[in-house]
Amino acid sequence: MRIDTSSDTAHDCDEGGWTPRLICSLVTIVLLLEMLAVSYMMISIALPEILAHYETTQGAWLLTAFLLVGAISCPLVGKLADMHGKRRLLLACTLIAALGSLLSALATTYPMLIAGRALTGLLTPCLFLSYSLIRDVYPKRTVPMAVSIATSGMGVITVLAPFLAGWLIDGFGYRSIFWFAVIGLTVLAGLIVLTTDESSIRAHARLDLIGAPLLSIGLAAILVAISFGSRWGWTAPSTLGCLIGGAVLLGCWIASARVVRDPLIDLRVLRRRTVALTTVGAGACYGAGTVFSLVLPLMCMTPSVLGLGYGFDVTAKGFAVFQAPFGAATMLGGILVGVLVRRVHLRQLMAAGLLIETLAALLSAGVHDHKILLIVFIGLFGLGQGLIYASIPNLIIAAVAPQLQATSASIVAVAQALFAAIGPILAFVLLNAHIALAKEGEVFYTDRGITLVFVLSATVALIGAVAAYALPRSIRELTLPDADARTSPTRSAANA
């Protein structure tokens, strides 16, 4: 891989501050990333209505299809962004996601709905593309706060979004959330063109046409086995075939990544301790958060008269009372990182966030019928999310050179998407093993099933906390050698 370094430090040397155009650019990026969060949240809130409409218990695939495509596309998008420009790929992903939302809005069958959600999964790379673009084109001293705000959201949006979701779903049905996404994403694509500059940093590389299908098919096969294993039987030929076949393909991908000149994911980057542990912690954060957000509407919107030990019988709009504190606390956590980043080590902030998530999920596991306490625990979990969301990109920015920002961030994004994709599958495996009753096409779960899902969320967060505490105290920037100097040790930073 050959890197164009003609303007690597152009923005590093720029000590300028905030301008009206820069503020508009940040607001636009925040709104785009909020569309990612809002889209995911709206699906969780609409999930009971969607499952009842299509009479299915395979709700996990509404979330998993979105995240699976996100996981598979991140390395390719990251590579293309380094080669052709981060803003260009950001716009492409945004517009394809809008087309996916259009397909979901018009879906007449459940598979068609899932296909639309899969295309919308291209919103996932927008997260790392955004903060990598900020790193390239914003003045240096504005980057930490801009990244923290961009990745944790603006409080007003995160607080109001649940009420918007409830109003749309209750008033116009679940299809309205997809139409909202179509309009919002199209408008934001235009605003990005008007407010945000393109990065001038380029890496000259070749696309890994061997690694892409090996990685994508291998991951998909394993996720299919995990999703349908409880129905097919864990020892059934179909389940074992998917598991073994997926593992073999992933093994082949690892082997190819070691010999291909420009692999889809450069495994040398993962040998960097900071990148590897940040990747694990980031994945755990997203996995824990996905599971937590999945079970909340199922629990809160269940009628209390069923006597299952949980349920407040709230509508989608009423659920906003539970969701809004989560968004506000997430915003607060992100701002705290922006304020403290120069005084408190990022590893401490990230670990603290994951431990807060662990505690909040365990407390929620023990309280299913007390509304006020549950809202407090939800807010606590959101605070942890905000601390982690803002810590992740700042860690990556500190750990790798500008030319590797998109590629390295895509590795983290793959872990985030994979943990978040597997989380709902495992959650529904637990829930579908604890069905209390089925009524008029709707399935309701036992109190024990709900408890186990919260415990799953806490366990995943705890794994991430351990990884975060293992991060090195001193972070040095990694620079990989280019194609003409791969064997030169002076061009590569030592592992932390």
Side-chain angles (χ1 to χ4, degrees):
M1 178 174 66
R2 185 167 56 86
I3 297 169
D4 181 358
T5 59
S6 60
S7 55
D8 288 354
T9 59
H11 293 280
D12 283 352
C13 298
D14 184 359
E15 293 299 328
W18 293 100
T19 64
R21 186 170 185 266
L22 199 64
I23 293 172
C24 290
S25 170
L26 180 59
V27 170
T28 302
I29 289 174
V30 168
L31 289 172
L32 175 61
L33 297 185
E34 286 301 311
M35 287 298 295
L36 170 61
V38 167
S39 172
Y40 200 87
M41 179 194 67
M42 284 182 171
I43 283 293
S44 297
I45 296 175
L47 193 58
E49 182 179 335
I50 292 174
L51 295 181
H53 178 81
Y54 290 101
E55 298 183 357
T56 179
T57 60
Q58 293 299 317
W61 276 96
L62 274 178
L63 306 176
T64 298
F66 177 94
L67 293 163
L68 177 59
V69 170
I72 293 169
S73 64
C74 281
L76 182 59
V77 170
K79 180 73 72 175
L80 290 171
D82 283 337
M83 293 168 59
H84 301 293
K86 299 178 180 71
R87 190 186 75 161
R88 184 173 298 173
L89 268 294
L90 182 66
L91 289 170
C93 289
T94 301
L95 291 174
I96 294 174
L99 289 176
S101 296
L102 178 62
L103 180 61
S104 295
L106 300 174
T108 56
T109 64
Y110 193 59
M112 186 176 175
L113 180 66
I114 292 176
R117 285 294 294 167
L119 284 178
T120 311
L122 280 169
L123 276 177
T124 302
C126 291
L127 179 59
F128 74 80
L129 287 174
S130 294
Y131 67 71
S132 296
L133 185 59
I134 287 173
R135 164 62 181 80
D136 289 356
V137 303
Y138 279 37
K140 183 178 179 179
R141 68 188 182 92
T142 68
V143 170
M145 181 60 77
V147 167
S148 297
I149 292 174
T151 53
S152 59
M154 294 170 20
V156 174
I157 298 170
T158 53
V159 171
L160 293 180
F163 296 95
L164 172 63
W167 175 70
L168 287 172
I169 295 167
D170 290 341
F172 306 96
Y174 72 86
R175 293 184 190 275
S176 61
I177 64 176
F178 301 119
W179 286 113
F180 172 79
V182 172
I183 296 170
L185 291 172
T186 303
V187 171
L188 288 171
L191 290 175
I192 289 172
V193 173
L194 296 175
T195 64
T196 307
D197 295 331
E198 176 62 280
S199 170
S200 59
I201 296 174
R202 294 289 187 275
H204 301 282
R206 299 175 182 176
L207 289 181
D208 183 4
L209 299 179
I210 297 175
L214 289 175
L215 178 62
S216 59
I217 298 173
L219 290 175
I222 290 175
L223 289 174
V224 167
I226 295 173
S227 179
F228 293 98
S230 58
R231 175 183 295 184
W232 295 341
W234 294 107
T235 58
S238 52
T239 305
L240 294 176
C242 286
L243 284 173
I244 295 172
V248 169
L249 288 174
L250 289 181
C252 293
W253 165 71
I254 292 173
S256 72
R258 294 179 181 275
V259 298
V260 172
R261 179 171 180 170
D262 294 310
L264 196 64
I265 296 178
D266 197 324
L267 297 179
R268 294 174 299 164
V269 175
L270 273 176
R271 289 201 294 266
R272 174 80 168 185
R273 183 179 165 197
T274 302
V275 176
L277 292 174
T278 299
T279 299
V280 174
C285 165
Y286 275 66
T290 300
V291 171
F292 192 88
S293 299
L294 172 70
V295 73
L296 280 179
L298 292 175
M299 183 179 71
C300 296
M301 297 169 74
T302 295
S304 56
V305 296
L306 295 177
L308 298 175
Y310 66 90
F312 302 106
D313 199 20
V314 298
T315 63
K317 186 176 182 180
F319 180 69
V321 175
F322 295 87
Q323 187 69 35
F326 183 96
T330 300
M331 175 271 301
L332 176 61
I335 291 177
L336 282 175
V337 171
V339 172
L340 299 174
V341 68
R342 299 187 187 279
R343 287 173 285 179
V344 181
H345 199 287
L346 285 166
R347 64 185 281 271
Q348 295 175 315
L349 293 170
M350 185 175 180
L354 284 157
L355 286 176
I356 290 172
E357 282 191 346
T358 303
L359 176 62
L362 288 175
L363 290 172
S364 300
V367 178
H368 299 166
D369 56 357
H370 196 293
K371 185 179 293 187
I372 300 300
L373 282 177
L374 185 61
I375 290 174
V376 171
F377 299 155
I378 292 170
L380 187 64
F381 195 97
L383 177 64
Q385 286 277 84
L387 290 171
I388 310 161
Y389 282 174
S391 298
I392 293 167
N394 281 302
L395 278 166
I396 293 298
I397 286 172
V400 298
Q403 305 93 336
L404 295 171
Q405 284 293 316
T407 300
S408 301
S410 72
I411 296 173
V412 176
V414 169
Q416 291 171 336
L418 280 180
F419 273 76
I422 294 172
I425 292 175
L426 296 178
F428 270 100
V429 167
L430 291 172
L431 289 173
N432 290 333
H434 295 83
I435 294 176
L437 58 96
K439 182 181 179 182
E440 297 178 356
E442 292 189 72
V443 176
F444 300 96
Y445 306 98
T446 66
D447 186 68
R448 177 174 173 78
I450 297 293
T451 299
L452 289 175
V453 174
F454 278 120
V455 172
L456 172 64
S457 176
T459 302
V460 175
L462 184 59
I463 292 171
V466 173
Y469 269 114
L471 281 165
R473 295 180 181 275
S474 177
I475 299 176
R476 289 176 293 169
E477 187 178 275
L478 170 68
T479 303
L480 289 178
D482 59 30
D484 297 322
R486 277 182 180 267
T487 59
S488 174
T490 61
R491 293 287 304 277
S492 179
N495 285 354

